[in-house]
Amino acid sequence: MPAKLLILGGTTEASALARKVAEAGMPAVFSYAGRVDRPREQPVPVRVGGFGGVAGLARYLRAQAISHVIDATHPFAAQMSTNAVMACAATGVSLIALTRAPWSAGPGDHWTRVPDMDAAVAALAGPPRRVFLAVGRMHLAAFAAQPQHRYLLRLVDRPVALPLPGASVVIDRGPFSVESDIEVLRHHQIEWVVSKNAGGTGARSKIDAARQLGVPVLMIDRPAIPARPEAQTPAQVLGWLAHSGVNLGV
Ligand code: NAP
């Protein structure tokens, strides 16, 4: 069977991989969940929307004759990553995850680590503060349990309705710089940054900005995902493909 890749996307790293795969002339499909209005264009064919759980993904892999899945989703997309492990195991399709190391606190960082989103909500109990809530649109509702704070949200699309009335909203998809995030934290007089431990460079600037300003960070640890082979760079993924006998065409 000729090789055909499925790239599970939605991250900067997934887009970087798609560029390399296109340069190598490999047949590939790029998959978005469909969470944002205008996803970035890709140099390979794109499909959008859920597959329908493990069974739906397994059906898709068979129907599209996918030989290799590269899970380049965000480290907090635990459901998709778990489904990929299970569907690939069920169909015998090869799987690798393109991951990035989590961030770790260094000198000058004031982090409180919490294990998950619920713990982050609980940790915000206390007097009103100005909080930069950088957790993404899907998780905002949980923070309505701490309505005393003045929240700043940064979102890719303007929301139709917000579960946090009174929150300030900045619409911006980045990329962001440390300098501009220092300006954002200063302008909004931010006293807490709440962040997922995404790792990588795409979402890092707010953490560096918080360090420089001495602003404390509530850092949410990553969810658990079943063990799978992992690569840290697109080049390593291409190496894995070549190793498994795929002709990269360059
Ligand atoms: P999730 O909770 O793990 O996934 C929920 C469901 O969304 C999955 O079961 C799947 O539906 C569908 N899905 C997720 N990623 C998909 C993809 N790449 N292609 C097709 N369907 C997908 O995921 P999430 O945290 O909502 O993240 C959704 C997307 O946003 C991912 O592509 C992720 O890379 C990106 N993203 C997430 C975060 C974050 O913090 N979570 C941050 C930046 C970008 P079915 O079960 O129906 O297949």
Side-chain angles (χ1 to χ4, degrees), residues 209-230:
R211 175 194 294 162
Q212 291 201 29
L213 295 177
V215 172
V217 175
L218 197 55
M219 186 62 81
I220 305 166
D221 284 344
R222 295 173 172 199
I225 291 167
R228 67 255 158 105
E230 294 190 5

Side-chain angles (χ1 to χ4, degrees), residues 8-11 31-33 35 47 49-53 73-74 76-80 83 196:
L8 300 173
T11 59
S31 178
Y32 278 119
R35 298 281 190 273
R47 67 163 299 286
F51 298 95
T73 56
H74 190 274
F76 278 68
Q79 187 63 58
M80 185 70 251
N83 291 357
K196 294 176 285 197

Side-chain angles (χ1 to χ4, degrees), residues 47-224:
R47 67 163 299 286
V48 181
F51 298 95
V54 176
L57 178 56
R59 268 195 306 277
Y60 178 89
L61 297 177
R62 288 196 186 101
Q64 298 297 319
I66 300 294
S67 59
H68 296 76
V69 174
I70 297 114
D71 177 2
T73 56
H74 190 274
F76 278 68
Q79 187 63 58
M80 185 70 251
S81 291
T82 302
N83 291 357
V85 169
M86 296 173 75
C88 286
T91 52
V93 171
S94 302
L95 168 71
I96 196 164
L98 175 56
T99 60
R100 57 235 193 168
W103 299 318
S104 51
D109 283 319
H110 304 286
W111 287 15
T112 301
R113 284 180 55 186
V114 289
D116 53 30
M117 210 58 73
D118 288 346
V121 173
L124 285 181
R129 300 270 185 244
R130 292 170 180 270
V131 179
F132 182 12
L133 190 54
V135 296
R137 179 173 58 89
M138 307 294 287
H139 298 287
L140 297 179
F143 290 86
Q146 303 287 3
Q148 71 276 29
H149 301 302
R150 289 278 301 277
Y151 290 107
L152 169 66
L153 314 175
R154 183 158 62 192
L155 303 172
V156 176
D157 298 311
R158 185 158 295 285
V160 179
L162 267 181
L164 298 171
S168 304
V169 183
V170 174
I171 304 299
D172 197 343
R173 77 189 313 166
F176 309 107
S177 70
V178 180
E179 292 70 29
S180 65
D181 274 358
I182 287 176
E183 188 47 39
V184 167
L185 297 191
R186 279 208 178 115
H187 178 75
H188 293 272
Q189 299 172 290
I190 294 300
E191 299 166 282
W192 270 101
V193 173
V194 183
S195 173
K196 294 176 285 197
N197 195 335
T201 53
R204 167 89 216 183
S205 56
K206 59 183 177 286
I207 305 303
D208 292 335
R211 175 194 294 162
Q212 291 201 29
L213 295 177
V215 172
V217 175
L218 197 55
M219 186 62 81
I220 305 166
D221 284 344
R222 295 173 172 199

